[in-house]
Amino acid sequence: SPSPSPSPSPSPSPSHSLTAGIFGVYCTSCNQSVKKTGNKLYSPDEQTIRRHFKLCHHGHPTPDAFKVERELIISQDAILSAAKNDPQLAANKIAVVFPPQTTVEHKAYVCNKCGYSSKDKKVFRKHFGKRNAYGCQLVTDASSGKVDVCEGKYGITCPKHFLTAVVEGHFVRPNKRLRSNPRHKMPNRSAPSSTPVSNNNASPQQQQPASNTPTPPSSTPFRPILKTSLSTLSRAKEGTPLNQLN
């Protein structure tokens, strides 16, 4: 039987200043991460983008936040796909958000599934509530203690071992929970899976063996959810503006 055709790329939205990095989505107008709280590593949702446009977009017409969300997901997928077998490209893309000269490191509690981090243990535990977008679980996904976290440009932070996993070609981006409304179906949404890691907050029966080295999210090679065209991959390597990735 014929193979399914790739998902069509959305038509570009009106010009905007949002850019997807290999980690994080930032605005080149205000030089800040579009997402202000929680996990800032992946594409923000439609509501977050719309709120940002109300504060930071001064042109007309206002871009369609729904289309921009898709554009950001496709762009970030293309960058990760292009970097999978090209360690130098991966390092170059990481350096855009985490330049060696200005990136600082600190210790924090980390979710090994989605990359959320916090220095405060109580705040960190709240990440695993019922509204968690990635289905993260405290017992299986929390780090066993504080680990190295990199703080780069635009207020974006990322666990150091996530950056290493990208360069080594085995980073796996987590999927968000499915949306009930078919109109809001996005290419980065499916049934979340869980990756067990060490956790010193679990009960003795549930606790995994402790390790001083944080466990990467998965040893499985990264495979993008979208079937990204060769032309889009090429543009991602060249750093083509986001709203021209189609």
Side-chain angles (χ1 to χ4, degrees):
S1 61
S3 59
S5 58
S7 301
S9 299
S11 57
S13 295
S15 180
H16 56 81
S17 55
L18 305 192
T19 300
I22 197 164
F23 281 119
V25 171
Y26 53 90
C27 174
T28 56
S29 178
C30 66
N31 288 321
Q32 294 291 322
S33 169
V34 174
K35 194 170 183 184
K36 303 301 181 187
T37 60
N39 190 324
K40 301 178 183 179
L41 297 182
Y42 313 109
S43 303
D45 61 22
E46 177 184 358
Q47 291 77 14
T48 301
I49 293 168
R50 186 176 294 111
R51 286 195 298 269
H52 180 82
F53 284 152
K54 287 182 179 179
L55 295 173
C56 199
H57 184 82
H58 307 295
H60 295 283
T62 300
D64 185 324
F66 175 73
K67 288 185 177 181
V68 173
E69 183 184 359
R70 284 191 61 86
E71 290 172 15
L72 292 168
I73 295 169
I74 290 172
S75 181
Q76 197 168 59
D77 267 353
I79 294 170
L80 288 165
S81 301
K84 183 182 70 170
N85 296 314
D86 190 337
Q88 186 58 57
L89 175 65
N92 292 344
K93 292 294 184 180
I94 287 171
V96 173
V97 182
F98 300 94
Q101 300 84 354
T102 58
T103 296
V104 296
E105 292 184 18
H106 63 264
K107 296 284 188 179
Y109 298 101
V110 163
C111 175
N112 283 309
K113 183 174 184 180
C114 74
Y116 171 78
S117 64
S118 176
K119 296 178 182 179
D120 187 289
K121 194 170 187 177
K122 289 183 179 180
V123 173
F124 177 67
R125 290 172 70 92
K126 290 180 181 178
H127 166 71
F128 300 95
K130 293 181 179 179
R131 298 181 65 182
N132 182 281
Y134 299 94
C136 305
Q137 300 293 323
L138 177 64
V139 172
T140 57
D141 298 317
S143 61
S144 58
K146 289 187 175 182
V147 299
D148 291 329
V149 174
C150 295
E151 184 175 350
K153 297 170 66 176
Y154 315 110
I156 297 171
T157 58
C158 180
K160 191 174 183 178
H161 67 264
F162 272 42
L163 302 180
T164 301
V166 170
V167 174
E168 293 177 350
H170 58 74
F171 174 74
V172 177
R173 186 195 64 185
N175 292 322
K176 290 186 176 181
R177 294 183 183 277
L178 287 168
R179 288 175 174 170
S180 57
N181 188 335
R183 176 187 178 275
H184 294 123
K185 184 177 180 181
M186 284 290 166
N188 66 337
R189 292 179 180 269
S190 66
S193 60
S194 182
T195 303
V197 294
S198 301
N199 174 37
N200 61 355
N201 294 320
S203 65
Q205 293 81 6
Q206 297 169 315
Q207 191 166 355
Q208 302 290 330
S211 171
N212 293 327
T213 303
T215 305
S218 173
S219 59
T220 304
F222 173 79
R223 292 183 176 87
I225 296 171
L226 283 181
K227 293 186 177 180
T228 312
S229 67
L230 292 177
S231 62
T232 302
L233 290 176
S234 176
R235 293 178 185 181
K237 290 183 180 182
E238 296 167 0
T240 303
L242 170 66
N243 57 4
Q244 295 180 27
L245 279 173
N246 56 72

